[in-house]
Coordinates of all heavy atoms in Angstrom, one line a residue:
M1 N 6.5 9.3 14.4 CA 5.6 8.1 14.4 C 6.4 6.9 14.1 O 7.3 6.8 13.3 CB 4.6 8.4 13.3 CG 3.5 7.3 13.1 SD 2.2 7.8 11.9 CE 0.8 7.8 13.0
K2 N 6.1 5.8 14.9 CA 6.8 4.6 14.7 C 6.4 3.9 13.4 O 5.2 4.0 13.0 CB 6.4 3.6 15.9 CG 6.9 4.1 17.2 CD 6.5 3.1 18.3 CE 6.9 3.6 19.7 NZ 6.5 2.8 20.8
P3 N 7.3 3.1 12.8 CA 7.0 2.5 11.6 C 5.8 1.6 11.6 O 4.9 1.5 10.7 CB 8.3 1.6 11.3 CG 9.3 2.4 11.9 CD 8.7 3.0 13.2
Q4 N 5.6 0.9 12.8 CA 4.4 0.0 12.9 C 3.1 0.8 12.9 O 2.1 0.4 12.3 CB 4.5 -0.8 14.2 CG 3.4 -1.9 14.3 CD 3.3 -2.8 13.1 OE1 4.3 -3.4 12.7 NE2 2.1 -3.1 12.6
D5 N 3.2 2.1 13.4 CA 2.0 2.9 13.4 C 1.7 3.4 12.0 O 0.5 3.6 11.6 CB 2.2 4.1 14.4 CG 2.3 3.7 15.8 OD1 1.7 2.6 16.2 OD2 2.9 4.4 16.6
V6 N 2.8 3.7 11.2 CA 2.6 4.1 9.8 C 1.9 3.0 9.1 O 1.0 3.2 8.3 CB 3.9 4.5 9.2 CG1 3.8 4.8 7.7 CG2 4.5 5.7 9.9
L7 N 2.4 1.8 9.3 CA 1.8 0.6 8.6 C 0.4 0.4 9.0 O -0.5 0.2 8.1 CB 2.6 -0.7 8.9 CG 2.1 -2.0 8.3 CD1 2.1 -1.9 6.8 CD2 3.0 -3.1 8.8
S8 N 0.1 0.6 10.2 CA -1.3 0.5 10.7 C -2.2 1.5 10.0 O -3.4 1.2 9.6 CB -1.4 0.6 12.2 OG -0.8 -0.5 12.8
A9 N -1.7 2.7 9.9 CA -2.5 3.8 9.2 C -2.7 3.5 7.7 O -3.8 3.7 7.2 CB -1.8 5.1 9.4
L10 N -1.7 2.9 7.1 CA -1.8 2.6 5.7 C -2.8 1.4 5.5 O -3.6 1.4 4.6 CB -0.5 2.2 5.1 CG 0.6 3.3 5.0 CD1 1.9 2.8 4.6 CD2 0.1 4.4 3.9
E11 N -2.8 0.4 6.4 CA -3.7 -0.7 6.3 C -5.1 -0.2 6.6 O -6.1 -0.6 5.9 CB -3.3 -1.7 7.4 CG -2.1 -2.5 7.1 CD -1.6 -3.3 8.3 OE1 -1.9 -3.0 9.4 OE2 -0.8 -4.2 8.0
G12 N -5.3 0.8 7.5 CA -6.6 1.4 7.7 C -7.1 2.1 6.5 O -8.3 2.0 6.2
A13 N -6.2 2.8 5.8 CA -6.6 3.5 4.6 C -7.1 2.5 3.5 O -8.1 2.7 2.8 CB -5.5 4.3 4.0
A14 N -6.4 1.4 3.4 CA -6.8 0.3 2.5 C -8.1 -0.2 2.8 O -9.0 -0.3 1.9 CB -5.7 -0.8 2.5
R15 N -8.4 -0.5 4.1 CA -9.7 -0.9 4.5 C -10.8 0.1 4.2 O -11.9 -0.3 3.7 CB -9.7 -1.2 6.0 CG -9.1 -2.6 6.4 CD -9.4 -2.9 7.8 NE -8.9 -1.9 8.8 CZ -7.7 -1.8 9.2 NH1 -6.8 -2.7 8.9 NH2 -7.4 -0.9 10.1
G16 N -10.5 1.4 4.4 CA -11.4 2.4 4.0 C -11.8 2.5 2.6 O -12.8 2.9 2.2
L17 N -10.9 2.0 1.7 CA -11.1 1.9 0.3 C -11.7 0.6 -0.1 O -12.0 0.3 -1.3 CB -9.8 2.1 -0.5 CG -9.2 3.5 -0.4 CD1 -7.8 3.5 -1.0 CD2 -10.1 4.5 -1.1
G18 N -12.0 -0.3 0.9 CA -12.5 -1.6 0.6 C -11.5 -2.6 0.0 O -11.8 -3.6 -0.6
I19 N -10.2 -2.3 0.3 CA -9.1 -3.2 -0.1 C -8.7 -4.1 1.0 O -8.2 -3.5 2.1 CB -7.9 -2.4 -0.7 CG1 -8.4 -1.5 -1.8 CG2 -6.8 -3.3 -1.1 CD1 -7.4 -0.5 -2.3
K20 N -8.7 -5.4 0.9 CA -8.3 -6.3 1.9 C -6.7 -6.4 1.9 O -6.2 -6.5 0.8 CB -8.9 -7.7 1.8 CG -8.5 -8.6 2.8 CD -9.1 -10.0 2.6 CE -8.7 -11.0 3.7 NZ -9.3 -12.3 3.5
V21 N -6.1 -6.3 3.0 CA -4.7 -6.5 3.1 C -4.4 -7.8 3.9 O -5.0 -8.0 4.9 CB -4.0 -5.3 3.9 CG1 -2.5 -5.6 4.0 CG2 -4.3 -4.0 3.3
S22 N -3.6 -8.7 3.2 CA -3.4 -10.0 3.9 C -1.9 -10.3 3.8 O -1.2 -9.8 2.9 CB -4.2 -11.1 3.3 OG -3.8 -11.3 1.9
Y23 N -1.4 -11.1 4.8 CA 0.0 -11.4 4.9 C 0.1 -13.0 4.7 O -0.6 -13.7 5.5 CB 0.6 -11.0 6.2 CG 0.6 -9.5 6.3 CD1 -0.5 -8.8 6.9 CD2 1.7 -8.8 5.8 CE1 -0.5 -7.4 6.9 CE2 1.7 -7.4 5.8 CZ 0.6 -6.7 6.4 OH 0.6 -5.3 6.5
E24 N 0.8 -13.4 3.7 CA 0.9 -14.8 3.4 C 2.3 -15.2 3.0 O 3.1 -14.3 2.7 CB -0.1 -15.1 2.2 CG -1.5 -14.8 2.5 CD -2.4 -15.0 1.3 OE1 -2.0 -15.7 0.3 OE2 -3.5 -14.4 1.3
A25 N 2.6 -16.4 3.1 CA 4.0 -16.9 2.7 C 4.0 -16.9 1.2 O 3.3 -17.6 0.5 CB 4.2 -18.3 3.2
L26 N 4.8 -16.0 0.6 CA 5.0 -15.9 -0.8 C 6.3 -16.5 -1.3 O 7.3 -16.5 -0.6 CB 4.9 -14.4 -1.3 CG 3.6 -13.7 -1.0 CD1 3.7 -12.2 -1.4 CD2 2.4 -14.3 -1.6
A27 N 6.3 -17.0 -2.5 CA 7.5 -17.6 -3.1 C 8.5 -16.4 -3.3 O 8.1 -15.3 -3.5 CB 7.3 -18.2 -4.4
V28 N 9.8 -16.7 -3.1 CA 10.8 -15.7 -3.3 C 10.7 -15.0 -4.7 O 11.0 -13.8 -4.8 CB 12.2 -16.3 -3.1 CG1 13.3 -15.3 -3.4 CG2 12.4 -16.9 -1.7
S29 N 10.4 -15.8 -5.7 CA 10.3 -15.3 -7.0 C 9.2 -14.2 -7.2 O 9.2 -13.4 -8.1 CB 10.0 -16.4 -8.0 OG 8.8 -17.0 -7.8
V30 N 8.2 -14.2 -6.3 CA 7.1 -13.2 -6.3 C 7.6 -11.9 -5.7 O 7.1 -10.9 -6.1 CB 5.9 -13.8 -5.5 CG1 4.8 -12.7 -5.4 CG2 5.4 -15.1 -6.1
G31 N 8.5 -11.9 -4.8 CA 8.9 -10.7 -4.2 C 8.2 -10.4 -2.9 O 7.6 -11.3 -2.3
I32 N 8.1 -9.2 -2.5 CA 7.5 -8.8 -1.3 C 6.0 -8.8 -1.4 O 5.3 -9.1 -0.4 CB 7.9 -7.4 -0.8 CG1 9.4 -7.4 -0.5 CG2 7.2 -6.9 0.4 CD1 10.0 -6.1 -0.3
G33 N 5.4 -8.6 -2.6 CA 4.0 -8.6 -2.7 C 3.5 -7.3 -3.3 O 4.3 -6.4 -3.7
G34 N 2.2 -7.1 -3.3 CA 1.6 -5.8 -3.8 C 0.2 -6.0 -4.1 O -0.5 -6.9 -3.6
L35 N -0.3 -5.1 -4.9 CA -1.7 -5.0 -5.3 C -2.0 -6.1 -6.4 O -1.3 -6.2 -7.3 CB -2.1 -3.6 -5.8 CG -3.5 -3.4 -6.2 CD1 -4.4 -3.4 -5.0 CD2 -3.6 -2.0 -6.9
C36 N -3.2 -6.7 -6.2 CA -3.6 -7.7 -7.2 C -5.2 -7.7 -7.2 O -5.8 -7.0 -6.4 CB -3.0 -9.1 -7.0 SG -3.6 -9.8 -5.5
R37 N -5.8 -8.5 -8.0 CA -7.2 -8.7 -7.9 C -7.5 -10.2 -7.6 O -6.9 -11.1 -8.2 CB -7.9 -8.3 -9.3 CG -7.9 -6.8 -9.5 CD -8.9 -6.4 -10.5 NE -9.1 -5.0 -10.5 CZ -9.9 -4.3 -9.7 NH1 -10.6 -4.9 -8.9 NH2 -9.9 -3.0 -9.8
V38 N -8.4 -10.4 -6.7 CA -8.8 -11.7 -6.3 C -10.3 -11.8 -6.5 O -11.0 -11.0 -5.8 CB -8.4 -12.1 -4.9 CG1 -9.0 -13.4 -4.5 CG2 -6.9 -12.0 -4.7
R39 N -10.8 -12.6 -7.4 CA -12.2 -12.6 -7.8 C -12.8 -11.3 -8.1 O -13.9 -10.9 -7.6 CB -13.0 -13.3 -6.6 CG -12.6 -14.8 -6.5 CD -13.5 -15.5 -5.4 NE -13.0 -16.8 -5.3 CZ -12.5 -17.4 -4.2 NH1 -12.4 -16.6 -3.1 NH2 -12.1 -18.6 -4.2
G40 N -12.0 -10.5 -8.8 CA -12.4 -9.2 -9.2 C -12.3 -8.0 -8.2 O -12.5 -6.9 -8.5
E41 N -11.9 -8.4 -7.0 CA -11.8 -7.4 -5.9 C -10.3 -7.0 -5.7 O -9.4 -7.9 -5.7 CB -12.3 -7.9 -4.6 CG -13.8 -8.2 -4.7 CD -14.7 -7.0 -4.9 OE1 -14.3 -5.9 -4.4 OE2 -15.6 -7.1 -5.7
P42 N -10.0 -5.7 -5.5 CA -8.6 -5.4 -5.3 C -8.1 -5.9 -3.9 O -8.9 -5.9 -3.0 CB -8.6 -3.8 -5.3 CG -10.0 -3.4 -5.0 CD -10.8 -4.6 -5.5
R43 N -6.9 -6.3 -3.9 CA -6.3 -6.9 -2.6 C -4.8 -6.7 -2.6 O -4.2 -6.7 -3.6 CB -6.6 -8.4 -2.6 CG -6.3 -9.1 -1.3 CD -6.9 -10.4 -1.3 NE -6.2 -11.2 -0.2 CZ -6.4 -12.5 -0.1 NH1 -7.3 -13.2 -0.9 NH2 -5.8 -13.2 0.9
I44 N -4.3 -6.4 -1.4 CA -2.9 -6.2 -1.2 C -2.4 -7.5 -0.5 O -2.9 -7.7 0.6 CB -2.6 -4.9 -0.5 CG1 -3.1 -3.7 -1.2 CG2 -1.0 -4.8 -0.2 CD1 -3.0 -2.4 -0.4
I45 N -1.5 -8.2 -1.1 CA -1.0 -9.4 -0.5 C 0.5 -9.2 -0.3 O 1.2 -8.8 -1.2 CB -1.2 -10.7 -1.4 CG1 -2.7 -10.9 -1.6 CG2 -0.6 -11.9 -0.7 CD1 -3.1 -12.0 -2.6
I46 N 1.0 -9.4 0.9 CA 2.4 -9.2 1.3 C 2.9 -10.4 1.9 O 2.3 -11.1 2.7 CB 2.4 -8.0 2.2 CG1 1.8 -6.7 1.6 CG2 3.9 -7.7 2.7 CD1 1.6 -5.6 2.5
D47 N 4.2 -10.7 1.6 CA 4.9 -11.8 2.3 C 4.9 -11.6 3.8 O 5.4 -10.5 4.3 CB 6.3 -11.9 1.7 CG 7.0 -13.2 2.1 OD1 6.7 -13.8 3.2 OD2 7.9 -13.6 1.4
K48 N 4.5 -12.6 4.5 CA 4.4 -12.4 6.0 C 5.8 -12.4 6.6 O 5.9 -12.0 7.8 CB 3.6 -13.6 6.6 CG 4.1 -14.9 6.4 CD 3.2 -15.9 7.1 CE 3.8 -17.4 7.0 NZ 2.8 -18.3 7.6
R49 N 6.8 -12.7 5.9 CA 8.2 -12.6 6.4 C 8.8 -11.3 6.2 O 9.9 -11.0 6.6 CB 9.0 -13.7 5.8 CG 8.5 -15.1 6.2 CD 9.2 -16.2 5.3 NE 8.8 -15.9 3.9 CZ 8.5 -16.8 3.0 NH1 8.6 -18.1 3.3 NH2 8.1 -16.5 1.8
A50 N 8.1 -10.4 5.4 CA 8.7 -9.1 5.1 C 8.9 -8.2 6.3 O 8.1 -8.3 7.3 CB 7.8 -8.4 4.1
A51 N 10.0 -7.5 6.3 CA 10.2 -6.5 7.4 C 9.2 -5.4 7.3 O 8.6 -5.1 6.3 CB 11.6 -5.9 7.2
T52 N 9.0 -4.7 8.4 CA 8.0 -3.6 8.5 C 8.3 -2.6 7.4 O 7.3 -2.1 6.8 CB 8.0 -2.9 9.9 OG1 7.7 -3.9 10.9 CG2 7.0 -1.8 10.0
A53 N 9.5 -2.2 7.2 CA 9.8 -1.2 6.1 C 9.3 -1.7 4.8 O 8.8 -0.9 4.0 CB 11.3 -0.8 6.1
D54 N 9.5 -2.9 4.5 CA 9.1 -3.5 3.2 C 7.6 -3.6 3.1 O 7.0 -3.4 2.1 CB 9.7 -4.9 3.0 CG 11.2 -4.8 2.8 OD1 11.7 -3.8 2.3 OD2 11.9 -5.8 3.1
R55 N 6.9 -3.9 4.2 CA 5.5 -3.9 4.3 C 4.9 -2.5 4.0 O 4.0 -2.3 3.2 CB 5.0 -4.4 5.6 CG 5.3 -5.9 5.9 CD 4.8 -6.3 7.3 NE 5.1 -7.7 7.5 CZ 4.4 -8.5 8.3 NH1 3.5 -8.0 9.1 NH2 4.7 -9.8 8.4
I56 N 5.5 -1.5 4.6 CA 5.1 -0.1 4.4 C 5.3 0.2 2.9 O 4.4 0.8 2.3 CB 5.9 0.9 5.2 CG1 5.5 0.7 6.7 CG2 5.8 2.3 4.8 CD1 6.4 1.5 7.7
A57 N 6.4 -0.1 2.3 CA 6.6 0.1 0.9 C 5.6 -0.5 0.0 O 5.1 0.1 -0.9 CB 8.1 -0.3 0.5
A58 N 5.3 -1.8 0.3 CA 4.3 -2.5 -0.5 C 2.9 -1.9 -0.4 O 2.2 -1.7 -1.4 CB 4.3 -4.0 -0.1
V59 N 2.4 -1.6 0.8 CA 1.1 -1.0 1.0 C 1.0 0.4 0.4 O 0.1 0.8 -0.3 CB 0.6 -1.1 2.5 CG1 -0.7 -0.4 2.6 CG2 0.6 -2.5 3.0
A60 N 2.1 1.2 0.7 CA 2.1 2.6 0.2 C 2.1 2.6 -1.3 O 1.4 3.4 -1.9 CB 3.3 3.3 0.8
G61 N 2.9 1.8 -1.9 CA 3.0 1.7 -3.4 C 1.6 1.3 -4.0 O 1.2 1.8 -5.0
A62 N 1.0 0.4 -3.3 CA -0.3 -0.1 -3.8 C -1.4 1.0 -3.7 O -2.2 1.2 -4.6 CB -0.8 -1.3 -3.1
L63 N -1.3 1.8 -2.6 CA -2.3 2.8 -2.4 C -2.1 4.1 -3.2 O -3.0 4.9 -3.5 CB -2.3 3.2 -0.9 CG -2.9 2.2 0.1 CD1 -2.8 2.7 1.5 CD2 -4.3 1.9 -0.2
A64 N -0.9 4.2 -3.7 CA -0.5 5.4 -4.5 C -1.4 5.6 -5.8 O -1.6 6.7 -6.3 CB 0.9 5.4 -4.9
G65 N -2.0 4.5 -6.2 CA -2.8 4.5 -7.4 C -4.3 4.8 -7.2 O -5.1 4.9 -8.1
F66 N -4.6 5.1 -5.9 CA -6.0 5.3 -5.6 C -6.2 6.8 -5.1 O -5.3 7.4 -4.6 CB -6.5 4.4 -4.4 CG -6.6 2.9 -4.9 CD1 -5.5 2.1 -4.8 CD2 -7.7 2.4 -5.4 CE1 -5.5 0.8 -5.2 CE2 -7.8 1.1 -5.8 CZ -6.7 0.3 -5.7
D67 N -7.5 7.2 -5.2 CA -7.8 8.6 -4.8 C -8.0 8.5 -3.2 O -8.9 7.9 -2.7 CB -9.1 9.0 -5.4 CG -9.6 10.4 -5.0 OD1 -8.8 11.1 -4.3 OD2 -10.7 10.8 -5.3
L68 N -7.1 9.2 -2.5 CA -7.1 9.1 -1.1 C -7.6 10.4 -0.5 O -7.4 10.7 0.7 CB -5.7 8.8 -0.6 CG -5.1 7.5 -1.0 CD1 -3.6 7.4 -0.7 CD2 -5.9 6.3 -0.4
A69 N -8.2 11.3 -1.3 CA -8.6 12.6 -0.8 C -9.6 12.5 0.4 O -9.5 13.3 1.3 CB -9.3 13.4 -2.0
G70 N -10.5 11.6 0.4 CA -11.4 11.5 1.5 C -11.0 10.6 2.7 O -11.7 10.3 3.6
I71 N -9.7 10.1 2.6 CA -9.2 9.2 3.7 C -8.3 10.0 4.6 O -7.4 10.7 4.2 CB -8.4 8.1 3.0 CG1 -9.2 7.3 2.0 CG2 -7.8 7.2 4.1 CD1 -10.3 6.5 2.6
A72 N -8.6 10.0 5.9 CA -7.8 10.6 6.9 C -6.5 9.8 7.1 O -6.6 8.6 7.4 CB -8.5 10.8 8.2
L73 N -5.4 10.4 6.9 CA -4.1 9.8 7.1 C -3.1 10.7 7.7 O -3.0 11.9 7.4 CB -3.5 9.4 5.7 CG -3.9 8.1 5.1 CD1 -3.4 8.0 3.6 CD2 -3.4 6.9 5.9
P74 N -2.3 10.2 8.7 CA -1.3 11.1 9.3 C -0.2 11.4 8.2 O 0.0 10.7 7.3 CB -0.7 10.2 10.4 CG -1.1 8.8 10.1 CD -2.3 8.9 9.3
A75 N 0.5 12.5 8.4 CA 1.5 13.0 7.5 C 2.5 11.9 7.2 O 2.9 11.8 6.0 CB 2.1 14.3 8.0
P76 N 3.1 11.2 8.1 CA 4.1 10.2 7.8 C 3.5 9.1 6.8 O 4.3 8.6 6.0 CB 4.5 9.6 9.1 CG 4.2 10.6 10.1 CD 2.9 11.3 9.6
A77 N 2.3 8.8 6.9 CA 1.7 7.8 6.0 C 1.5 8.3 4.6 O 1.8 7.7 3.6 CB 0.3 7.3 6.6
R78 N 1.1 9.6 4.5 CA 1.0 10.3 3.2 C 2.4 10.4 2.6 O 2.5 10.2 1.4 CB 0.3 11.6 3.3 CG -1.2 11.5 3.6 CD -1.9 12.7 3.1 NE -3.3 12.6 3.5 CZ -4.2 12.0 2.7 NH1 -3.9 11.6 1.5 NH2 -5.5 11.9 3.1
S79 N 3.4 10.7 3.4 CA 4.8 10.8 2.9 C 5.2 9.5 2.3 O 5.9 9.4 1.3 CB 5.7 11.3 4.0 OG 5.4 12.6 4.3
A80 N 4.9 8.4 3.0 CA 5.3 7.0 2.6 C 4.6 6.7 1.2 O 5.3 6.2 0.3 CB 4.9 6.0 3.6
I81 N 3.4 7.1 1.1 CA 2.7 6.9 -0.2 C 3.4 7.7 -1.3 O 3.6 7.2 -2.4 CB 1.2 7.3 -0.1 CG1 0.5 6.3 0.8 CG2 0.5 7.3 -1.5 CD1 -0.9 6.7 1.2
A82 N 3.7 8.9 -1.1 CA 4.4 9.8 -2.1 C 5.8 9.2 -2.4 O 6.1 9.1 -3.6 CB 4.6 11.2 -1.5
R83 N 6.5 8.7 -1.4 CA 7.8 8.1 -1.7 C 7.8 6.8 -2.5 O 8.7 6.5 -3.3 CB 8.5 7.8 -0.3 CG 9.3 8.9 0.3 CD 10.2 8.4 1.4 NE 9.6 7.4 2.3 CZ 8.9 7.7 3.3 NH1 8.6 8.9 3.7 NH2 8.4 6.7 4.1
H84 N 6.7 6.1 -2.3 CA 6.6 4.7 -2.9 C 5.7 4.7 -4.1 O 5.4 3.6 -4.6 CB 6.2 3.7 -1.9 CG 7.2 3.5 -0.8 ND1 8.5 3.0 -1.0 CD2 7.2 3.9 0.5 CE1 9.1 3.0 0.1 NE2 8.4 3.6 1.1
S85 N 5.3 5.9 -4.6 CA 4.5 6.0 -5.8 C 5.3 5.5 -7.0 O 6.4 5.9 -7.2 CB 4.0 7.4 -6.0 OG 3.3 7.5 -7.2
A86 N 4.6 4.7 -7.9 CA 5.3 4.2 -9.1 C 5.5 5.3 -10.1 O 6.5 5.3 -10.9 CB 4.5 3.1 -9.7
T87 N 4.7 6.3 -10.1 CA 4.8 7.5 -11.0 C 5.2 8.7 -10.2 O 4.5 9.1 -9.3 CB 3.4 7.7 -11.7 OG1 3.0 6.5 -12.3 CG2 3.5 8.8 -12.7
P88 N 6.3 9.3 -10.5 CA 6.7 10.5 -9.8 C 5.6 11.6 -10.0 O 5.0 11.7 -11.1 CB 8.0 10.9 -10.5 CG 8.5 9.7 -11.2 CD 7.3 8.9 -11.5
P89 N 5.4 12.4 -9.0 CA 4.3 13.4 -9.1 C 4.4 14.3 -10.3 O 3.4 14.7 -10.9 CB 4.5 14.2 -7.8 CG 5.2 13.3 -6.9 CD 6.0 12.4 -7.7
A90 N 5.6 14.8 -10.7 CA 5.7 15.6 -11.9 C 5.3 14.9 -13.1 O 4.6 15.5 -14.0 CB 7.2 16.1 -12.0
A91 N 5.6 13.6 -13.3 CA 5.2 12.9 -14.5 C 3.7 12.7 -14.5 O 3.1 12.7 -15.5 CB 5.9 11.5 -14.5
A92 N 3.1 12.5 -13.3 CA 1.7 12.3 -13.2 C 0.9 13.6 -13.6 O -0.1 13.5 -14.3 CB 1.3 11.9 -11.8
K93 N 1.5 14.7 -13.2 CA 0.9 16.0 -13.5 C 0.9 16.2 -15.1 O -0.1 16.6 -15.7 CB 1.6 17.1 -12.9 CG 0.9 17.8 -11.8 CD 1.7 19.0 -11.3 CE 1.4 19.1 -9.8 NZ 2.2 20.2 -9.2
S94 N 2.1 16.0 -15.7 CA 2.2 16.2 -17.1 C 1.3 15.3 -17.9 O 0.8 15.6 -19.0 CB 3.7 16.2 -17.5 OG 4.2 14.9 -17.4
A95 N 1.1 14.0 -17.4 CA 0.3 13.1 -18.1 C -1.2 13.5 -18.1 O -1.9 13.4 -19.1 CB 0.4 11.7 -17.5
R96 N -1.6 14.1 -17.0 CA -3.0 14.6 -16.9 C -3.2 15.9 -17.7 O -4.3 16.1 -18.2 CB -3.3 15.0 -15.4 CG -3.7 13.7 -14.6 CD -4.1 14.2 -13.3 NE -2.8 14.4 -12.6 CZ -2.6 14.4 -11.3 NH1 -3.5 14.3 -10.5 NH2 -1.4 14.6 -10.8
A97 N -2.1 16.7 -17.9 CA -2.2 17.9 -18.7 C -2.3 17.6 -20.2 O -2.8 18.4 -20.9 CB -1.0 18.8 -18.4
S98 N -1.9 16.4 -20.6 CA -1.9 16.1 -22.1 C -3.3 15.9 -22.6 O -4.2 15.5 -22.0 CB -1.1 14.8 -22.3 OG 0.2 15.0 -21.9

């Protein structure tokens, strides 16, 4: 699957969760972007100059914190989410077991 197709799938998953994804010029000090809240609503804002790989990382990392069980995603998109998750799967499991 092409990187642009993975990005499109991730953006579609975000829309399915009601999360708007936008691309804007961000200050260098902000970084590539990520998940935030705008007027109480979750939103993923990414620097419009970011490379496709960085966009995938930002969207996948933001989606990693949401329940995606009911969202249809191709395997490469799910793999991207797993790779860019802030919490390693083993740590997340042990935290739930506590």
Side-chain angles (χ1 to χ4, degrees):
M1 182 173 238
K2 294 179 183 177
Q4 186 58 46
D5 295 334
V6 173
L7 180 60
S8 293
L10 293 169
E11 291 168 338
R15 280 191 304 276
L17 293 169
I19 302 169
K20 181 178 179 181
V21 179
S22 63
Y23 295 91
E24 302 175 17
L26 299 178
V28 174
S29 61
V30 174
I32 294 169
L35 181 67
C36 64
R37 289 202 169 271
V38 176
R39 296 187 180 117
E41 298 295 322
R43 188 166 163 190
I44 301 170
I45 302 175
I46 301 169
D47 190 334
K48 66 181 181 180
R49 298 166 296 220
T52 301
D54 292 331
R55 291 177 179 206
I56 289 170
V59 178
L63 291 177
F66 291 89
D67 180 8
L68 301 170
I71 305 288
L73 276 171
R78 286 206 184 269
S79 294
I81 292 168
R83 273 193 319 274
H84 297 291
S85 174
T87 306
K93 249 187 216 176
S94 65
R96 280 182 282 201
S98 301

